[in-house]
Amino acid sequence: MGGNKIRNMEEFAALSGISRPTVSKYFNDPGSVRASTRARIEAALEEHDYRPNIYAVNQNRRLTKNIGIVVPYLADPFFAEIARKIELRCIEAGLSPILFSAHGEKDLEVDILDSLRSMKPAGVLLAPLGRISDRGVIEKFCRDVPTILFDSNLDGIGEAFVGSDNFSFVSQSVEYLTRTGNPPILFEMVRPANPNANKRRKAYVSMMERLGFDPQIFQAEGDGWGFEEIGYKEGLRFLDQKPGRTDTVLCSNDRLAIGFLSACFERGIPVGRGETCTLRVAAHDDHPFSRFTCPSLTTVAHDYDQVSNKVIEMLFQLIESGGHFENRSEHLYPAKLVLRSSA
């Protein structure tokens, strides 16, 4: 140890070689872990002379073992997948996850937070709607309930944010597309539901200018979370108008691209990298359905595991620290280019 004091369970778990969720489960209820694991933890406690913050543990018990998970639109398979991973990590730690969906509605998001407050959860993991969220309500909730934001960052609100690096998404897609063919036109919504879209637009403009190309942007009309429908209808308009000076389309997200590919099929436009293809299409997110589109969609993927692991880690640290950190922190994870047939 070299005289250094272990400050929290995270450090103890790392030093002892035992997973953080298992350590937390032990401190909540020693009988809930296997006898062999319990012996390892107790031996490590003795070796490192560590004692947990009993106040934080007891406070967690008074507040129940419930963990609220709030997503903006559970019908979106991206949120279903990230919520699934977070739920499993909560269960591994002996906690009870409760999942809520705001269904893209501002008032419902507010009602969910009111309901969670009355349930007195140990903590909450919140992916806010973003553009239409009531910032004042969310800011007050985060002050009252240990809350970690993920996916959509509301600048300055909450104790910490965990998500994907939007510049990492777009820099990889633009670099690949410009290196292998004509520079792309960005296909995005004029009123995006999620604030990540705005960051991707800025990253697209920055990368195109950095590489010496003029940015080209097509703004699809439409509002709400029906991205596939907007991608299809506005994709037809795009194909009929033929805006821009390129045969390469980069969609802001995969769900828009799924609709856009459907429009291409209806117009009889072959998409892909082959000699007979007249259009390349790529996007961002690695939506669970993107590998099953026709053709399969070239995209840039979230690191679901890293994000889900980090939000749980940060929430545990927040609970142990009494619900507040000294400074707000942001944790962004890079994306990964996934090459498929569409571009």
Side-chain angles (χ1 to χ4, degrees):
M1 290 296 296
N4 293 328
K5 179 178 177 60
I6 299 178
R7 295 172 296 177
N8 52 47
M9 288 189 204
E10 188 68 30
E11 293 184 3
F12 172 73
L15 283 170
S16 61
I18 302 165
S19 74
R20 175 63 176 78
T22 300
V23 171
S24 178
K25 192 173 182 180
Y26 168 84
F27 284 123
N28 277 305
D29 180 8
S32 65
V33 300
R34 289 180 297 182
S36 58
T37 303
R38 187 163 64 249
R40 287 181 59 204
I41 293 174
E42 290 170 355
L45 287 171
E46 187 68 26
E47 176 184 354
H48 299 297
D49 191 26
Y50 170 66
R51 294 297 178 268
N53 183 340
I54 297 300
Y55 170 76
V57 173
N58 286 338
Q59 181 187 54
N60 188 17
R61 287 173 178 164
R62 287 199 303 272
L63 291 175
T64 76
K65 294 184 181 180
N66 295 331
I67 298 293
I69 305 170
V70 185
V71 298
Y73 197 73
L74 193 55
D76 186 327
F78 163 73
F79 290 111
E81 177 64 11
I82 193 73
R84 181 184 71 85
K85 290 182 176 293
I86 291 173
E87 280 186 307
L88 291 175
R89 282 154 179 76
C90 287
I91 292 168
E92 289 171 2
L95 300 169
S96 301
I98 305 173
L99 180 61
F100 298 87
S101 172
H103 298 285
E105 300 290 337
K106 173 183 177 180
D107 290 343
L108 183 53
E109 184 176 68
V110 171
D111 290 343
I112 288 170
L113 297 182
D114 286 342
S115 297
L116 276 168
R117 191 190 302 273
S118 66
M119 294 169 62
K120 300 187 183 303
V124 170
L125 299 169
L126 170 63
L129 289 169
R131 179 174 62 86
I132 65 172
S133 290
D134 189 322
R135 289 178 60 92
V137 168
I138 292 178
E139 188 170 18
K140 186 176 188 309
F141 181 85
C142 291
R143 287 199 302 265
D144 297 341
V145 180
T147 303
I148 301 295
L149 268 58
F150 70 100
D151 183 62
S152 295
N153 191 8
L154 300 180
D155 294 335
I157 294 180
E159 298 294 319
F161 169 76
V162 180
S164 298
D165 184 346
N166 284 292
F167 186 83
S168 173
F169 277 95
V170 180
S171 62
Q172 292 185 67
S173 60
V174 170
E175 190 281 330
Y176 167 73
L177 292 171
T178 54
R179 176 167 47 85
T180 56
N182 290 322
I185 182 172
L186 180 67
F187 184 95
E188 66 160 10
M189 291 170 59
V190 66
R191 293 180 297 278
N194 190 299
N196 290 322
N198 297 322
K199 294 176 181 177
R200 292 177 183 182
R201 182 196 316 113
K202 292 177 181 178
Y204 164 80
V205 171
S206 174
M207 276 300 297
M208 289 286 283
E209 292 176 344
R210 181 183 302 181
L211 295 171
F213 300 106
D214 292 329
Q216 304 175 69
I217 300 175
F218 179 88
Q219 293 193 312
E221 293 291 337
D223 207 349
W225 289 82
F227 300 159
E228 293 87 357
E229 182 73 13
I230 293 169
Y232 166 71
K233 289 182 176 180
E234 289 297 283
L236 292 174
R237 183 167 71 90
F238 176 96
L239 296 171
D240 292 341
Q241 292 182 358
K242 297 182 174 61
R245 303 172 299 281
T246 182
D247 61 358
T248 304
V249 177
L250 177 61
C251 294
S252 182
N253 64 63
D254 286 359
R255 290 183 59 199
L256 283 174
I258 289 171
F260 187 90
L261 288 175
S262 181
C264 291
F265 177 80
E266 184 165 314
R267 288 291 188 264
I269 296 174
V271 174
R273 291 184 282 177
E275 293 182 0
T276 61
C277 297
T278 58
L279 194 66
R280 295 191 303 163
V281 177
H284 308 103
D285 285 339
D286 198 21
H287 184 292
F289 297 164
S290 62
R291 63 192 178 104
F292 299 114
T293 58
C294 189
S296 57
L297 184 61
T298 288
T299 185
V300 187
H302 290 272
D303 192 330
Y304 290 95
D305 288 330
Q306 287 270 38
V307 171
S308 57
N309 285 338
K310 190 64 176 180
V311 293
I312 293 295
E313 173 191 323
M314 294 303 298
L315 185 61
F316 286 166
Q317 290 182 15
L318 183 60
I319 293 170
E320 289 173 20
S321 66
H324 297 284
F325 292 140
E326 184 174 346
N327 296 299
R328 187 180 191 270
S329 60
E330 295 184 8
H331 307 268
L332 302 179
Y333 289 91
K336 178 182 178 182
L337 181 66
V338 180
L339 298 180
R340 298 195 180 106
S341 302
S342 70

